[in-house]
Amino acid sequence: MTLLGDRESRLLVDGKLVTGSGGTFATVNPATEETLGVAADATAEDMGAAIEAARRAFDDTGWSTDVELRVRCIRQLQQAMRDHVEELRDLTIAEVGAPRMLTAAAQLEGPVEDLSFCADTAQGYEWTSDLGVASPMGIKTHRTIAREAIGVVGAITPWNFPHQINLAKVGPALAAGNTLVLKPAPDTPWAAAVLGELITEHTDFPPGVVNIITSSDHAVGALLSKDPRVDMVSFTGSTNTGRAVMSDGAATLKKVFLELGGKSAFLVLDDADLAGACSMAAFTASMHAGQGCAITTRLVVPRARYDEAVEAAAATMGGLKPGDPNKPGTICGPVISARQRDRIQGYLDSAIAEGGRFACGGGSPADRDTGFFIEPTVIAGLGNSAKVAREEIFGPVLTVIAHDGDDDAVRIANDSPYGLSGTVFSADEDRAAGIGARLRVGTVNINGGVWYSADMPFGGYKQSGIGREMGLAGFEEYLEIKAIAKAAK
């Protein structure tokens, strides 16, 4: 299997690798702007065939009830990815622009190892629960609760952490007994299409259980939300697109899981190590060019030490120059496309227009003629009502906002349409934990704790989404509950 070079990836439909009815489209290296190769460009016809294959595999085979087969297939896929991890690493750096250091964590190796959690959970899961005999309404009844697969799952994924998000849907959905159609973002088709190659060459997945559709047309992915043969849509992406997915799914009242945007706050309390906390916030906001929905992009600091906080953040962020993602020391690589680079620049321009200033960064690096790079940028002088404090930028941009004490810090953090993540730093761990408990978010980092793990649920409040991914809660998103009442003697 050749993962890089003059390469053309294909669709996986009903157990076969096939070309797309729409021809092909290019995938581009965001660090060099060079075309890496092409991917199969699916049409509505191809998506229809994939949905039909998934429907047939769920309805007409024993996949949904054969736990042993499901566990074996997931472990086979995991082993195939381990065996090809270096090729996958090169592919990920080239197509995603992911810094090499991150491929040892959430960009590749972490998600591959997380498949063990899916297989282990399915293997040991209590698929039925016996509630015993009771006499509701005077009728002696033996009650059982069964947990069953939902059916056909449509998974729609973004480009920023493709392996992590693809596998966080594929793993639990399949382990729970569903069949699946995966539609990745047009910017990173290979990261998904390679799963089709590994599945056909190295696993026992029956035909139709997994289908992978790459397409340059976002409307092809939208068909998953609209098609009555699809029982559930699992979507990760922007909040605006999430609204459209939810609206489309309403016509058939299918289950919709949404993992959406964020504008998370990093709260520094007045007793914290200010320089250390601000440095960590700056480092986090620069990682993978800020292309993470849960990255904390609002640094909320004591007003009395505002200038000191800005200086500390800028000292770190200004030193994290955007660079070649292939180099081991690179933290901030390119953003995914010219379109995304220009979008970020629009936000930076708005900060100046609203009266803000750049403590470092502010645009594309002057020393790079190619690649979609943005300098890590610290914005100062604005409040929480500024555009750059309200909207998700998805770039290496940190806005520093002043607070007037703990209650005000909590108010600022919660004054957002989003509620995905938050961080609190204080010398007093109990104080920090108390503040964290007041944040209306799905994940909280106290003094540098790490919430990302296969067994921890991930998701948000408010417009950051509906449901949870990963952990037992993420596995159970893909299950229905059936109550069975049998007359007892």
Side-chain angles (χ1 to χ4, degrees):
M1 180 171 62
T2 302
L3 301 187
L4 282 175
D6 186 15
R7 183 172 191 272
E8 178 178 343
S9 68
R10 290 174 287 174
L11 313 175
L12 176 61
V13 178
D14 204 14
K16 297 182 177 65
L17 296 174
V18 298
T19 57
S21 299
T24 62
F25 66 102
T27 187
V28 174
N29 184 324
T32 66
E33 302 184 44
E34 296 173 342
T35 297
L36 296 169
V38 296
D41 202 359
T43 63
E45 179 183 358
D46 298 314
M47 178 61 82
I51 293 171
E52 180 57 32
R55 184 78 263 168
R56 187 169 57 250
F58 185 81
D59 292 341
D60 299 340
T61 77
W63 172 259
S64 67
T65 58
D66 193 338
V67 177
E68 181 181 350
L69 173 61
R70 301 202 302 265
V71 169
R72 183 172 77 247
C73 289
I74 290 168
R75 295 198 195 283
Q76 288 171 335
L77 175 59
Q78 179 184 48
Q79 190 57 51
M81 296 189 78
R82 287 169 174 165
D83 292 343
H84 291 276
V85 71
E86 293 308 323
E87 295 163 273
L88 289 167
R89 193 185 318 280
D90 290 341
L91 181 153
T92 306
I93 295 167
E95 184 178 52
V96 184
R100 178 170 289 275
M101 63 172 289
L102 289 183
T103 63
Q107 278 287 7
L108 177 60
E109 292 185 53
V112 172
E113 294 312 307
D114 289 350
L115 287 174
S116 292
F117 178 83
C118 302
D120 293 346
T121 299
Q123 195 164 33
Y125 192 68
E126 187 178 1
W127 297 96
T128 59
S129 303
D130 191 340
L131 297 188
V133 176
S135 298
M137 294 185 287
I139 300 173
K140 195 174 183 181
T141 304
H142 188 186
R143 292 92 37 79
T144 304
I145 295 174
R147 293 166 179 81
E148 303 175 342
I150 286 177
V152 175
V153 172
I156 306 172
T157 59
W159 42 259
N160 57 324
F161 282 80
H163 296 301
Q164 196 281 317
I165 299 169
N166 290 344
L167 295 180
K169 298 183 188 301
V170 169
L174 297 176
N178 301 282
T179 58
L180 179 132
V181 180
L182 172 63
K183 167 59 176 68
D187 301 278
T188 53
W190 282 4
V194 71
L195 295 177
E197 298 177 37
L198 295 173
I199 284 169
T200 56
E201 294 174 13
H202 301 287
T203 77
D204 297 326
F205 279 103
V209 168
V210 186
N211 304 272
I212 300 173
I213 297 294
T214 59
S215 178
S216 62
D217 185 356
H218 288 284
V220 170
L223 296 174
L224 290 167
S225 305
K226 299 173 182 178
D227 198 300
R229 295 171 293 179
V230 176
D231 300 294
M232 173 183 176
V233 172
S234 181
F235 170 81
T236 297
S238 73
T239 295
N240 284 338
T241 305
R243 290 190 186 99
V245 169
M246 196 170 189
S247 178
D248 288 342
T252 54
L253 291 178
K254 57 171 54 70
K255 181 173 182 178
V256 176
F257 166 85
L258 301 174
E259 199 279 284
L260 306 174
K263 192 67 186 177
S264 302
F266 191 119
L267 306 187
V268 182
L269 306 188
D270 58 16
D271 63 345
D273 171 5
L274 186 80
C278 292
S279 180
M280 179 174 288
F283 182 90
T284 301
S286 303
M287 195 166 15
H288 189 33
Q291 298 172 112
C293 54
I295 289 176
T296 44
T297 55
R298 290 182 293 154
L299 176 57
V300 184
V301 301
R303 187 177 301 278
R305 302 182 70 185
Y306 183 82
D307 291 342
E308 183 184 349
V310 170
E311 183 179 348
T316 295
M317 217 158 178
L320 297 174
K321 302 298 183 184
D324 182 354
N326 249 314
K327 292 184 177 179
T330 297
I331 303 299
C332 180
V335 298
I336 192 67
S337 64
R339 179 184 67 254
Q340 180 65 10
R341 179 194 59 200
D342 295 344
R343 177 179 178 274
I344 296 166
Q345 187 62 57
Y347 278 104
L348 298 179
D349 295 344
S350 79
I352 298 300
E354 291 188 61
R357 64 181 176 86
F358 300 137
C360 67
S364 299
D367 61 344
R368 289 191 172 273
D369 296 327
T370 58
F372 310 128
F373 292 94
I374 285 282
E375 296 172 306
T377 301
V378 172
I379 298 173
L382 296 175
N384 200 49
S385 62
K387 184 176 181 179
V388 291
R390 306 300 297 175
E391 299 182 17
E392 185 175 46
I393 299 173
F394 235 58
V397 181
L398 184 66
T399 302
V400 187
I401 301 168
H403 74 75
D404 295 308
D406 291 7
D407 289 345
D408 192 45
V410 171
R411 178 192 65 78
I412 291 168
N414 289 338
D415 180 18
S416 172
Y418 301 106
L420 190 53
S421 189
T423 294
V424 185
F425 264 68
S426 170
D428 184 336
E429 187 173 297
D430 291 339
R431 181 185 180 193
I435 295 296
R438 297 169 61 188
L439 301 182
R440 299 289 295 164
V441 297
T443 62
V444 178
N445 167 341
I446 304 296
N447 288 339
V450 177
W451 45 257
Y452 173 74
S453 177
D455 60 349
M456 284 283 281
F458 174 71
Y461 293 16
K462 299 187 281 187
Q463 293 183 35
S464 285
I466 298 173
R468 291 296 180 271
E469 199 149 66
M470 303 178 70
L472 183 61
F475 177 80
E476 291 182 334
E477 289 284 354
Y478 296 95
L479 295 175
E480 293 279 19
I481 297 176
K482 179 183 287 182
I484 304 167
K486 180 181 178 181
K489 296 182 180 180

